[in-house]
Amino acid sequence: MVSRDSKVQVAVVVATMALATLWVRFGTTDTVSSGLFVAACYVFLFAGSHAYLATRGDGEAVPVAARWRFVAVVSFAVAAVLVGNSYSGVELGNWQLSTAVWALVAVVFGAYVAYEARDGYRTSRGP
């Protein structure tokens, strides 16, 4: 039997692909608008199903709080990479801004994985 998570994820992917097709056909060729659209598509593809299910309060397979944390991490990562790529020529000391942003995203992702592992362990141990 197909889970609700899988059904929602397929619907999100189909909707994103439909929007992308419409954007290619009718959208603007402006670099900024296109970059923002691609960033929104990434957030929607990776976190859309979690945001939808968390909004509905569906914690069947994944707790609602964990869904919101995932949405926050994905949104942060996409926004950070968008900013890092937009200002890739800027230097911070000996580092390019884009390199610093990638390092920050890696640290945030590592902290997220560690937090989720700890939370999962605590949940499995019971009260």
Side-chain angles (χ1 to χ4, degrees), residues 63 116-127:
E116 288 297 331
R118 180 176 168 253
D119 190 50
Y121 175 75
R122 283 185 159 179
T123 302
S124 70
R125 299 291 294 176

Side-chain angles (χ1 to χ4, degrees), residues 5 46-47 49-55 57-75 112-113 115-121 123:
D5 285 6
F46 290 112
S49 62
H50 285 288
Y52 172 77
L53 292 169
T55 302
D58 187 348
E60 179 182 315
V62 178
V64 173
R67 290 187 189 279
W68 283 122
R69 287 190 298 265
F70 183 77
V71 170
V73 167
V74 168
S75 300
Y112 166 75
V113 169
Y115 184 85
E116 288 297 331
R118 180 176 168 253
D119 190 50
Y121 175 75
T123 302

